[in-house]
Structures are given as C-alpha cells and as structure tokens.
Amino acid sequence: MSPVLRMFIVLGLALFPALAIPDPGSLRTGCQTLDATDSSARKSLMQYVCYYSAPPGEPAHEASTPGQLPGNLPWTPAQGRDLVFSATQSVYWVHLHIRNSGTQRNLWYLKLNYPLLDEITFWQTGHDTTESLVTGDQQPFSSRGIDYRYFLLPVTLDAGETRAITLRVHSSGALNVPLSLETPAEIIAGSNHLTLTHGLFYGALLVFAVFNLLLFFSSGTVYYFYNAFYMAALGLFLFAMGGFANQYFWPDSTDFANTSIPLSLSLCALAMTLFGRSFLEVSAGTTSETALKTQAWFCIGFLALTFVLPYSKTIVLNTVLTLTVISSLFIIAAIRWKQGYQPALWYLLAWLIMLIGGLIYALAAFGYLTDFLAREALMQFAVGGQVILLNYAMVQRWRLLNEKLLAVEHNARTELEFKVHERTAQLRSTMRELEKANRKLSALSLNDALTGLHNRRYLDNIFPELCAEARRTGNKLTLALVDADHFKRINDTWGHNFGDTCLQYIAEMLTRHVKRPRDVAIRFGGEEFALLLPGTDGSGARKVCDALLADIANTPLTSPDGTEVRITLSAGIASLGDGESQNQLFERADEALYAAKNEGRNRALLSETTEA
C-alpha cells in the first residue's frame, strides 16, 4: 500500500466519526483527535476537548441528543483547562474524538472525576452505531453501569477505529467536569491508591469519634459527646461530597442523595457550635455566649429548611452558615486565649487550619477553583490536622482541670493543717493521735531522714528479694555489716549534733565507695550500717570494705572545740551459701562484725563458713 493511499485512509477514518454526529464546528475550532494509545496525549486530554454552554432558551439547552444540536454550534476548545463552572442553569455539551492507532482492539475508560452532577449523558458514535449512557445523581446509582463513585464510560476501539464522544451535563449546583482517559490498569492503580487514602482517613475519623463517645460515657463530660457528634457529621458530609454515601448508603434514593449534603453540613455547623461552647467554657451572659446560642438556633433552622428549599439554595445557605460558624469560633477562641484560657490556643490553631481548608474546598466545590480532587485531598489533610489539634486541646484542657483539682486539694489540705495546728493546744488527744500517725508514716518511709540512706524497713523489704534472686540465678550475694567504733564516746564528748555530723559523714563515705547501680547502703541502727552487694563475692566485698575503712580512718573531722577526730569502722562480711537462709547470712555477718570488734576494731573480717 502506497504512503499516499495510507494517508487518505487514516484521514478518512479520522473524519468519519465527525460526520456521524452534528458537531463539525469541533474540528473547525481546533479540537483535534486524541490518539488513545499515546499516554502523553491521554495526560493532555483537555487539549482535545471542546465544549459549548447552552443557556436556557437556546435550542442546544432543550436538545436531549447530539442529533438535535444545531449544525453550526460554535464549540469552544478547552485548550488544556479544566471545565469548571459556578452554579448555572445552562446545559453544557462536551465533545471529544478518540482514535486507536494501535494494531489491536483495546479498552479505555473516560473518567469524570466529580461525583455530584445531577444529569450526565454519554454518547459514543463510531462507524454506524451510537451508544448512550444516562446517569447522574438524579438516576439510581446502578445506572452508572460500573460500581464506582465517579462516572466511568468504557471506550472500546478496534485497531484504527475513531469514535466521537459527546457529553450532556446539567446540574443544579456547581459544575465540575474534570475528564481523564485511562487504561484499566491505570484505573485500578488510582482506585487502589484512593481506597487506601480514604480508608485511612475515614477509619481514623471513625476511631476518634468512637473514642470520644466512649470518653463521654465513662466521664460524663459533655464536650466529648459534642466532639464525637462533630466528627461523625463531618465524616458524613465528606462521605457524601466524595460520592461514597450515594454509592453505599442510599444508592436508590435519588432525592436524598443531594439533600444529604446540605443536611450533613448543617449538622456539622450545629456540632461545631455546641462543641465550641462547651470546650471553650464561655461564661454565661457574655457576648460570645449569646453569639453561640444564636448560631445554634440558626443551625437548627437551616437544618429544617434543608427539607423545604431546593438543593441549589440550601447548599449555598448552609455553606455560608458553616463558614460563618468556623469564623466566629476562631474569633471566640482568640478572645478566650487572650483571657488566659490556655487550651484555646490549640483550639484556635485547629480552626485556623479548618477555616483555610474549608474555604478552599468550598471555592472548588462551587466551581471557582479547578482540580477538585486536589482540593478534596487538601480538605482531608485540613480535617486530619484539625482533629489531631482538637484532641490535643482536649488533653491540655484535661491537664488544666487536673491541675486545678490538685490545687484545690492542696489548698484544702493546707487549710486543714492550719486548723489542726490552730487547735493543737486545746486538743491534746488529737495531737497525740496525729503524732502517732506521723510515727507510723515515718516507720513506713524507706529512707533515713538524717543520712539519706535507705533504712531498716527498706532492708527488710529488699533483703529477702535479693536472697531469692541469688538462689534462683546462682549469682553471689554478699552482706557487710559496718559499725562505727567507740561512737558513744563521740556523742558523750562532743554532743549528739557532732555525732549526727559523723553519721552523715559515714553515710557520704559509704555512698562514695558503693558505686554499682544495684549495690545498696543502709543505715539500720544508730551507728550501724549495712551494705548489700549483689553479684559480689566475699573477697570483692572485702576490698570494698578495706578501701572504705582506710578512707574514713585517714580523713579526720574537726570537732566543735577544734579537735581533730578520726573515726574508725569495723565490718563483718558474709556471702550467701547454698541452702542458707537470710537470717543465717545476717547472723554470720554479725558474728564477723563482733569478731572484728574483739580483734581491735578498725578492720573488716570475712566469715569463713562459706569462703573456700
């Protein structure tokens, strides 16, 4: 076949669909045929689209099929721009030529990525046949043919075949016609991605709503209920706007499909108002409280009007109402923050994000911004940020309330103590009971008040545990009992104050030499101390004690009369033996201590019973 003949055949195939439908102006205005096998051309689909806006009264407005359109219709090339129009009574006709330049039959899907269109009719014209699909929100969901929230038109082209696709679009609200031509694989990949994204978003929103509802039932705090109410209403609104509610909740309720959107929007506004009033703790009688009450009644009124007025009016009214509520809550939160209510800061940031996201989303939904899908994703991001900030604000509010409760408790305790002390002289019996209670509290304390070391009670608690652990694991456990030599002489000579200083000094030395995290220094008597050394055998404990005794003996203290006083210690050491009880271990350490005393003091002796 010659190249010239091949060129005429291709040209004829390209022109044939144009002759099959009455819109020759599409080619004259520069709308070219799209090669469906070219992925870059598919991505630039809007470069190949022509459209015509038919206002009421024109023949094209009354036309119900492409064959009824005037032959000289002035089609306008989209020139790469999305077809986005604000609320209008016009009927929009969209026209596109698609060619399969491949060598085999293939399937593509023309996808209209906006679910909220009342009436859409697709026509495919190729060869001598014309196929049509009538769908939209005013039709049952099953009319779409494919169970998908967006509108999908399957386009099957034979090798070399060209088809003309015409759309008739009419809607009572804003009109978005974002078109794309995709392969089945691309449709599935995009659907999987959106399924994951929307699943995570709506799942998280549901979890937060249920969590707040459970908090309400457990605590009785009403703003948890209002927050759950708000997130449920907001989720329903976005679910309806995204086309999911029409797909899953009421696929056969064509009238309620549109009504559900302004209805859920007014519920959102009411929930926002109730939650804001409760959370911000707006004082009764203030301007803010009056404004929020008025808003709540307006929300209830607009909710009732949703069932009376047409969708085109209620969606505008309820959108204005919702944006007004968001703005007023933002202002009231700023006022409460300036008044010193700290949780209002996070509430303020939450509504700032919501105000920006909601305004952009509203402009896209009403046809003033393009790329509705991107605005939907932005709205979900804004809602996610707001939900996180609102729940964090509730955490901060709970923390603030907890601090207030603690402050009240502290003030009450202080006041009670003051009254007790005030009546001490008159209520001796009460004082004795209080002193007895204080002694019990002191006995329960685990630290020695003078030296800061653990006390005898702590020894009684920890000693059995360490012995059991040593028997279970086979690790060494060594006990060293340390006693100050001739300590009574120090008290008798320089007084108990200096004696306390010496005890504190001994405790400091013990702490300095007992360095391992699990080693424990204990004061369990007047000048009696104990060292519990897990994981240390007798010889290791002997080194520790020798170093301790040498350090103390070589460091003199100055008494109140200026005399240098050297303190010496005696130590008895014993390691836990096989089958030995804690009492036996303590007795052996005590016997070693007495032996050290009898041999002249200032020395550490190791019990020989368990040492090899």
Side-chain angles (χ1 to χ4, degrees), residues 111-362:
K111 183 166 69 169
L112 201 165
N113 297 306
Y114 187 71
L116 307 178
L117 295 172
D118 292 343
E119 303 171 21
I120 307 171
T121 306
F122 296 91
W123 289 273
Q124 293 188 67
T125 304
H127 299 306
D128 296 327
T129 62
T130 298
E131 302 173 6
S132 64
L133 174 66
V134 181
T135 184
D137 284 352
Q138 297 304 312
Q139 301 288 334
F141 192 82
S142 58
S143 67
R144 305 188 184 195
I146 297 175
D147 187 13
Y148 194 64
R149 65 171 179 142
Y150 297 138
F151 301 100
L152 292 176
L153 176 68
V155 181
T156 303
L157 298 176
D158 293 327
E161 182 184 3
T162 301
R163 285 195 181 186
I165 297 178
T166 306
L167 283 73
R168 183 185 187 275
V169 185
H170 182 252
S171 189
S172 58
L175 198 144
N176 284 268
V177 191
L179 295 170
S180 62
L181 185 65
E182 302 177 18
T183 64
E186 291 170 339
I187 290 286
I188 292 172
S191 176
N192 289 340
H193 174 73
L194 288 177
T195 299
L196 176 62
T197 302
H198 290 300
L200 290 174
F201 173 75
Y202 289 110
L205 207 59
L206 179 62
V207 167
F208 273 110
V210 172
F211 177 68
N212 278 269
L213 197 60
L214 292 175
L215 288 176
F216 164 71
F217 287 128
S218 62
S219 66
T221 306
V222 71
Y223 66 77
Y224 286 126
F225 173 78
Y226 290 145
N227 193 30
F229 175 31
Y230 164 62
M231 286 186 285
L234 181 60
L236 179 60
F237 167 69
L238 294 176
F239 210 62
M241 283 292 293
F244 293 107
N246 193 18
Q247 181 180 6
Y248 296 111
F249 289 171
W250 36 81
D252 299 320
S253 302
T254 56
D255 293 333
F256 192 70
N258 279 339
T259 305
S260 63
I261 296 175
L263 178 65
S264 57
L265 194 56
S266 59
L267 288 174
C268 277
L270 178 61
M272 292 177 194
T273 304
L274 295 175
F275 174 70
R277 181 185 176 190
S278 176
F279 178 82
L280 293 174
E281 297 182 358
V282 178
S283 301
T286 61
T287 304
S288 297
E289 199 252 356
T290 303
L292 290 176
K293 274 187 176 180
T294 304
Q295 281 182 182
W297 283 111
F298 264 103
C299 292
I300 295 172
F302 278 51
L303 185 65
L305 289 176
T306 302
F307 296 98
V308 179
L309 298 178
Y311 169 82
S312 58
K313 295 185 181 299
T314 57
I315 188 62
V316 175
L317 290 174
N318 289 354
T319 300
V320 172
L321 172 67
T322 303
L323 292 175
T324 302
V325 168
I326 294 174
S327 302
S328 66
L329 289 172
F330 180 79
I331 295 171
I332 293 172
I335 294 173
R336 292 291 290 127
W337 181 43
K338 287 185 178 181
Q339 291 173 348
Y341 185 63
Q342 291 303 316
L345 172 62
W346 301 103
Y347 186 91
L348 185 66
L349 293 176
W351 286 110
L352 175 61
I353 293 175
M354 190 60 179
L355 180 60
I356 296 172
L359 185 59
I360 294 174
Y361 187 66

Side-chain angles (χ1 to χ4, degrees), residues 505 509 547-557 566-568 602:
Y505 171 70
M509 284 294 187
L548 170 66
L549 269 57
D551 199 0
I552 288 181
N554 294 328
T555 306
L557 293 177
R566 294 183 181 273
I567 302 173
T568 62
N602 191 22

Side-chain angles (χ1 to χ4, degrees), residues 451-502:
T451 62
L453 298 178
H454 291 300
N455 59 13
R456 177 60 181 266
R457 182 177 181 82
Y458 184 82
L459 176 64
D460 293 340
N461 290 339
I462 195 67
F463 193 26
E465 296 178 6
L466 292 178
C467 288
E469 178 185 336
R471 284 190 290 265
R472 184 177 65 256
T473 62
N475 293 331
K476 291 292 185 180
L477 172 65
T478 301
L479 170 67
L481 298 181
V482 181
D483 188 79
D485 297 330
H486 303 298
F487 194 76
K488 184 175 182 305
R489 185 186 304 166
I490 293 175
N491 282 333
D492 292 343
T493 305
W494 291 286
H496 287 279
N497 287 338
F498 182 65
D500 290 345
T501 301
C502 293

